[in-house]
Amino acid sequence: MKATLNTLLRTSYIAGLGILIGLSAAVIANFFVAGITWMNDSLLISPRSRLMASSEWLLLIATVMVPASGGLAVGIIRHFIEGQRFHGPPDIIATVQTRQGEPAARTGLLSGIASLLSLGSGASVGQYGPLVHLGGLLGSLWSRLFRMDISMGNVAVACGVAAAISSIFHAPIAGILFAQEVILRHFSLRALAPIAVASIVGYVAANTILPQPPLLQIESAEILHFWEFGLFLLLGMASALVAVAYMQSILWVGRCASAVPIPAITQPAFAGAALGVVALWFPEILGAGGENLRFALIDEAFSRWELAILLILKILATAWCLGMGFAGGVFSPALLIGSLFGALFGSLVATFSGATSSAVVVYAVCGMVAVTAPVIGAPMTTVVIVFEMTGHYPLTIAALSSVALASLTTSRLFGRSLFDRQLHQRGIDLSGGRSKALLTAHTLQALINPHCLQLSPRASVSDAMLVMSQAQAAEAYLVDAAGRYLGTVHLHALISAAPQEEARQYAPSEDLCLYSDTPLWESMQSLREFVGERVPVVDRQHRLIGAVAESDVIRAYLDILADMRREEYAPG
């Protein structure tokens, strides 16, 4: 009876966690989106407000000055952030995958405010990335309030992310998948229940509090011929090239930004002004591009040349804004870029195939998800979003055809996602899976034994053997007067040596030593061929700190893996 009661209490606790996080994430997500919409309308950024502008001169001034002013505000905020780098989805992924620390609340809040200002002032960045980050941050804050352990804290982060995705896309199943596919990167019964509750509550709350219009409004998207599935596969491969170009552009501008002879605090303002000048001729590049995305799904809303020009400009504009310091995501622009490319592909098919093909909207949707999925590393999530938002099964299969090849091609050319590449640049490698990430996040520091047998480099063989026999040790470390490590002397190498010779002569020339900040993963690789009692550990000045036993490294390795397995396979 007691066990049953404990189970019920535990279940209620998990469900309550999902409800709290789902409700709060939905509120924040909806108000965030509503705030962007209000700023875009008030500052003459949205297409509707631009059409209703009372003065042409006011419109021209606002087009340049609003992004520039927003950039200045964003630059000032970034100046007061530690490391002068805004946080986003990669930071949430790193927190969960490495199990190290928690998302920085202050930096996360400032990043969210900066994203709101960036999007509200017309920067060509995305709104979904900041919302994913804010959702994860909110989940982390709830986990701290309830003093959860690391495993449940990670689940709380995933709950916040799922609720944010569910709220803004009206796609609760996609929210669950995104949290498992991108954030946790594993499936577990313990995580499924609270994530599902949070996602469903987020969906219900979003449609009750401040309902937003759906991203896609597709009434008819029939696939006329089965042979077109071959074209959808081809579109997927071509979309992979677009996705790679998009991601490489963002990384390239980010690398070049440091060479721009402008103070870092004013770089976003300069970027905003330049964006505004281009927007005088092509206002479609302003903002996240939700309205233009809907137009791209309508036959003949854009000509072929307009599709091509906007495709190129949107890639460049997003790379320019993000690289020069605006805060925001890459998801929304990827949706627009993909839909433009898909619509362009579909219009060319209709022209050159010589046969009646499916509507352009089919190709636009396939291109949209085929570009977006590799960028965020979530192929299944993007496909499910299409199904949940359209309810059109044949269109979902067509999208899956494009996404499958797009993800495969992009993984070979670029990697799993832009998020993973950004983390790799920060020294966090997720290419080897969660186990490698966890082992890389832990160093030898906690395993070092500072008490180890040391010898002067001038010690004779007889002195060395005497010291080792008294200490009952089979090896000793040669250390000079400055404390620098010079090598290891092994007892078995001295047995046949002349007593008066220097022991240093018998130290192997390429003996293994490790740094104190060496990750466990790298340590395990180094120990593959190691034979001995302990490995000397030095600092970056090569001063001896202590030694670490091979058994301690293996034990730490097994403990971390066991903890990871408990998180992944433990019951709810």
Side-chain angles (χ1 to χ4, degrees):
M1 183 66 181
K2 184 178 180 180
T4 303
L5 181 61
N6 288 336
T7 300
L8 291 175
L9 289 174
R10 178 67 176 173
T11 303
S12 301
Y13 173 76
I14 292 174
L17 171 68
I19 292 172
L20 285 173
I21 296 176
L23 183 60
S24 53
V27 171
I28 288 178
N30 277 32
F31 276 98
F32 187 88
V33 174
I36 294 170
T37 302
W38 177 80
M39 290 182 68
N40 287 170
D41 290 340
S42 302
L43 300 175
L44 302 180
I45 296 299
S46 66
R48 181 180 60 180
S49 64
R50 295 177 68 85
L51 287 173
M52 299 174 62
S54 58
S55 168
E56 184 176 349
W57 280 106
L58 176 63
L59 183 61
L60 294 176
I61 293 172
T63 302
V64 177
M65 293 305 299
V66 169
S69 301
L72 181 60
V74 169
I76 293 172
I77 293 174
R78 187 177 67 166
H79 182 72
F80 291 99
I81 289 181
E82 184 179 356
Q84 296 192 1
R85 179 183 64 80
F86 293 121
H87 286 194
D91 299 279
I92 295 296
I93 295 171
T95 297
V96 172
Q97 292 302 305
T98 62
R99 296 167 62 91
Q100 294 290 298
E102 297 165 329
R106 178 178 177 274
T107 301
L109 179 60
L110 290 176
S111 297
I113 294 172
S115 298
L116 179 63
L117 292 174
S118 297
L119 287 155
S121 60
S124 181
V125 295
Q127 64 183 10
Y128 303 126
L131 285 172
V132 165
H133 179 255
L134 286 173
L137 178 62
L138 185 64
S140 175
L141 292 176
W142 278 113
S143 72
R144 295 181 214 181
L145 181 63
F146 285 99
R147 298 181 180 179
M148 300 176 183
D149 59 23
I150 293 178
S151 295
M152 284 306 298
N154 287 344
V155 172
V157 169
C159 286
V161 171
I165 292 291
S166 175
S167 301
I168 54 184
F169 282 108
H170 304 282
I173 300 176
I176 298 169
L177 277 178
F178 185 87
Q180 303 268 2
E181 188 175 22
V182 177
I183 305 301
L184 293 182
R185 304 198 179 189
H186 70 269
F187 177 86
S188 69
L189 291 175
R190 174 188 289 186
L192 177 61
I195 290 174
V197 170
S199 187
I200 294 169
V201 169
Y203 169 75
V204 173
N207 285 276
T208 304
I209 301 171
L210 281 174
Q212 302 293 329
L215 178 66
L216 302 178
Q217 291 179 314
I218 300 174
E219 297 180 358
S220 177
E222 296 299 324
I223 299 171
L224 300 181
H225 310 286
F226 282 111
W227 55 261
E228 288 186 90
F229 279 92
L231 294 176
F232 301 146
L233 294 172
L234 181 61
L235 173 58
M237 295 182 66
S239 297
L241 301 179
V242 175
V244 170
Y246 173 55
M247 293 185 285
Q248 291 286 17
S249 298
I250 293 172
L251 296 176
W252 182 78
V253 176
R255 290 192 297 267
C256 294
S258 58
V260 177
I262 299 174
I265 197 171
T266 59
Q267 282 185 358
F270 173 72
L275 177 75
V277 170
V278 178
L280 292 175
W281 289 273
F282 300 97
E284 294 86 357
I285 65 173
L286 292 173
E291 296 87 352
N292 296 314
L293 173 61
R294 296 184 183 96
F295 279 123
L297 302 179
I298 301 173
D299 285 347
E300 300 182 356
F302 293 117
S303 68
R304 239 175 281 163
W305 283 109
E306 287 174 329
L307 289 170
I309 292 172
L310 289 179
L311 170 66
I312 296 171
L313 287 179
K314 192 62 180 177
I315 291 175
L316 296 177
T318 304
W320 172 251
C321 289
L322 289 174
M324 292 295 286
F326 274 106
V330 296
F331 199 160
S332 304
L335 291 172
L336 176 56
I337 290 166
S339 63
L340 291 170
F341 181 71
L344 178 60
F345 186 94
S347 67
L348 293 175
V349 167
T351 300
F352 296 109
S353 65
T356 303
S357 59
S358 301
V360 169
V361 64
V362 175
Y363 291 90
V365 170
C366 289
M368 178 183 71
V369 294
V371 169
T372 304
V375 172
I376 63 173
M380 293 308 300
T381 299
T382 52
V383 171
V384 171
I385 284 176
V386 171
F387 183 69
E388 288 196 272
M389 298 188 72
T390 66
H392 198 293
Y393 186 74
L395 180 59
T396 304
I397 300 302
L400 178 60
S401 303
S402 297
V403 166
L405 276 191
S407 298
L408 175 62
T409 305
T410 306
S411 66
R412 299 290 181 88
L413 297 175
F414 183 86
R416 171 171 174 149
S417 69
L418 178 62
F419 301 150
D420 283 39
R421 176 67 74 87
Q422 290 171 330
L423 289 174
H424 189 270
Q425 291 179 343
R426 301 178 204 167
I428 302 174
D429 185 7
L430 300 180
S431 62
R434 295 187 71 229
S435 58
K436 182 178 180 180
L438 286 171
L439 292 169
T440 302
H442 290 77
T443 67
L444 291 176
Q445 189 66 52
L447 306 178
I448 300 173
N449 184 351
H451 305 292
C452 53
L453 189 60
Q454 300 182 19
L455 285 176
S456 166
R458 294 187 297 274
S460 65
V461 169
S462 60
D463 291 338
M465 293 181 67
L466 178 62
V467 169
M468 282 188 271
S469 63
Q470 290 175 344
Q472 296 184 345
E475 59 190 26
Y477 307 118
L478 299 170
V479 181
D480 65 12
R484 288 189 295 269
Y485 170 73
L486 301 177
T488 302
V489 176
H490 298 273
L491 181 61
H492 66 81
L494 302 180
I495 293 177
S496 59
Q500 68 276 13
E501 291 185 304
E502 285 189 352
R504 183 176 183 178
Q505 299 180 39
Y506 297 92
S509 58
E510 296 183 359
D511 215 357
L512 176 66
C513 72
L514 299 171
Y515 292 107
S516 58
D517 57 356
T518 302
L520 280 179
W521 174 267
E522 187 178 326
S523 302
M524 292 296 296
Q525 307 308 310
S526 301
L527 290 171
R528 284 175 178 269
E529 307 296 332
F530 175 75
V531 177
E533 290 183 349
R534 297 191 294 176
V535 182
V537 182
V538 299
D539 61 18
R540 288 296 169 177
Q541 286 72 45
H542 220 67
R543 293 189 295 262
L544 184 68
I545 298 175
V548 60
E550 184 179 13
S551 59
D552 290 338
V553 177
I554 295 173
R555 188 178 298 109
Y557 167 82
L558 293 175
D559 288 344
I560 291 172
L561 291 187
D563 194 28
M564 183 188 74
R565 296 290 180 241
R566 279 193 297 271
E567 177 182 306
E568 294 182 1
Y569 298 111

